[in-house]
Amino acid sequence: MSDAYLALEDGRVIEARGRAPGRTRGELVFTTAYTGYEESLTDPSYEEQVLTFSYPLIGNYGVRSERFESERVHPRAAVAHEFTEDVAEWLQSENVPAIDHIDTRELVTSIREGGAMKCGIAVGDDVTPEDAKAELEQCKGMSEHVDIGKRVTTVEHTTHGDGDTDVALIDCGAKKSIVDSLVERDATVHVLPYDTTPAELADLDPDLLFISNGPGDPANFEAAETLVDEYVGELPIAGICLGQQVVARALGGTTEKMDFGHRGVNQPVRDLDSGQVVMTTQNHGYTVGEPGDELDVRQVNVNDGTAEGLANDDLGVITRQYHPEAHPGPHDSLGFFDDVLALTEESTRAVAGD
């Protein structure tokens, strides 16, 4: 074991046990999930953040690559009360600093009361508190990472599946399980870079435009916003997480940073039409403030009333703030993908009627 220090924006420096060496910084956030640590650590939406697990033991069922949501670990560092050897070795192999033997209950309470905060981490045999403070001094706010999309997007167009519906998935940091959920429903998914242009999308001529999840401030994903603006009313459009925020901005809505965000697998969401409440998995630090005149709020978070689902039936738009692909669970909202693909059938019928 090695020395480790966590320097916080509120002035505290916390001593910890080092599990994977390195020095880094990022926005300190927490997840309440008690399972799904492999999915969380490989979720691109955690780019440029330091992920704290509120559940006390992380790693109690090992590490299996088939559960990964991408090809690498995305948080800049990981914090827990205790990591198992399996997880510690995995993070070491990924060159991601990790620390434990911290009172994560107190740390999570601090984030809830003071909001997500900048932090610096230093782990190694000879590190000092000053090393962690030096990292903190270099830490940027999430909105300052203007090119964050470039860090998480696909480099080139890739195609998955061989179904009847062509989906253009704009990869702003897409989770693998979103692609899998569409392919399982007989779609051909074209994963495209986050800066795809309207002309490039026109060459593909898809049946559906889908804006993925991703990290950071939706205001920094202008190219995706332009696609929505150009194709709304011509193509059915869907979005998940950051995708909902991008769609809202393109249609006249606003977005804002949350105090500490929603991250976990137990967020209750109420459907305003049916009154049904479902449990959802979420990972976002920004939200839709005002949806604008073109979108209706169809679902809300039971805890704080934030918008969880937007739609415009006439324009063929449907979005979700949470992750209906349910990796990790719960599986209450998987039907979203059926609803999304049904938009393409309605669009085809409308064109035939014209």
Side-chain angles (χ1 to χ4, degrees):
M1 305 305 172
S2 57
D3 295 329
Y5 298 95
L6 171 66
L8 304 178
E9 190 176 4
D10 64 10
R12 289 180 294 161
V13 178
I14 298 173
E15 187 173 1
R17 178 175 71 162
R19 302 307 306 278
R23 303 182 189 189
T24 193
R25 63 269 185 187
E27 181 184 61
L28 184 67
V29 299
F30 69 89
T31 176
T32 59
Y34 45 88
T35 61
Y37 49 85
E38 296 143 313
E39 290 92 338
S40 293
L41 287 165
T42 55
D43 183 348
S45 293
Y46 280 116
E47 189 76 15
E48 296 293 346
Q49 296 181 316
V50 172
L51 178 58
T52 301
F53 291 94
S54 65
Y55 188 72
L57 175 61
I58 298 302
N60 54 0
Y61 52 85
V63 177
R64 296 174 60 183
S65 60
E66 56 265 36
R67 296 193 183 106
F68 293 1
E69 288 292 343
S70 67
E71 294 181 352
R72 66 177 175 90
V73 172
H74 284 273
R76 293 185 69 98
V79 179
H81 178 71
E82 185 173 354
F83 285 118
T84 64
E85 288 299 322
D86 285 343
V87 174
E89 290 173 3
W90 173 35
L91 293 172
Q92 288 175 30
S93 71
E94 293 275 330
N95 296 315
V96 173
I99 61 177
D100 65 5
H101 283 194
I102 279 181
D103 183 352
T104 49
R105 177 176 294 183
E106 193 278 333
L107 189 59
V108 167
T109 299
S110 296
I111 298 170
R112 283 185 59 89
E113 293 177 350
M117 65 183 83
K118 298 175 183 176
C119 74
I121 284 182
V123 186
D125 291 336
D126 300 314
V127 299
T128 68
E130 297 306 316
D131 295 324
K133 291 179 182 179
E135 290 293 333
L136 171 61
E137 291 175 359
Q138 299 179 61
C139 189
K140 296 180 180 179
M142 288 302 293
S143 294
E144 296 178 73
H145 293 288
V146 295
D147 61 347
I148 197 169
K150 186 182 297 185
R151 296 175 57 88
V152 296
T153 193
T154 183
V155 176
E156 57 187 5
H157 175 178
T158 62
T159 302
H160 307 263
D162 187 22
D164 297 331
T165 304
D166 281 301
V167 177
L169 178 65
I170 305 304
D171 180 11
C172 301
K175 292 170 65 179
K176 174 180 174 292
S177 52
I178 294 176
V179 177
D180 293 342
S181 296
L182 291 165
V183 169
E184 288 168 3
R185 289 164 174 79
D186 200 29
T188 299
V189 182
H190 302 272
V191 180
L192 305 174
Y194 83 112
D195 56 356
T196 295
T197 66
E200 290 168 334
L201 192 65
D203 289 340
L204 181 61
D205 191 26
D207 301 309
L208 172 74
L209 172 61
F210 201 125
I211 311 298
S212 84
N213 65 293
D217 190 337
N220 291 326
F221 290 81
E222 296 178 355
E225 190 175 322
T226 296
L227 289 178
V228 175
D229 182 58
E230 289 282 337
Y231 283 94
V232 66
E234 296 184 25
L235 280 177
I237 296 175
I240 286 177
C241 200
L242 178 121
Q244 167 165 292
Q245 300 158 21
V246 167
V247 170
R249 291 177 61 87
L251 298 183
T254 63
T255 53
E256 57 193 36
K257 197 173 191 305
M258 306 174 76
D259 288 339
F260 53 84
H262 294 159
R263 298 177 180 89
V265 298
N266 59 347
Q267 289 284 337
V269 170
R270 177 183 291 113
D271 185 274
L272 297 180
D273 291 330
S274 68
Q276 180 183 14
V277 174
V278 297
M279 300 306 291
T280 67
T281 183
Q282 303 198 14
N283 174 15
H284 61 101
Y286 292 78
T287 189
V288 173
E290 295 295 331
D293 296 333
E294 298 291 344
L295 294 169
D296 297 323
V297 177
R298 300 288 178 83
Q299 296 183 341
V300 297
N301 189 285
V302 173
N303 292 332
D304 61 14
T306 52
E308 296 281 4
L310 305 174
N312 183 314
D313 296 334
D314 294 334
L315 294 176
V317 176
I318 181 172
T319 67
R320 295 291 184 264
Q321 183 58 65
Y322 52 88
H323 283 269
E325 70 279 4
H327 281 245
H331 295 170
D332 298 21
S333 54
L334 280 168
F336 169 74
F337 294 97
D338 298 307
D339 296 338
V340 166
L341 294 175
L343 292 176
T344 64
E345 299 173 7
E346 295 168 9
S347 177
T348 300
R349 286 196 295 271
V351 171
D354 292 342

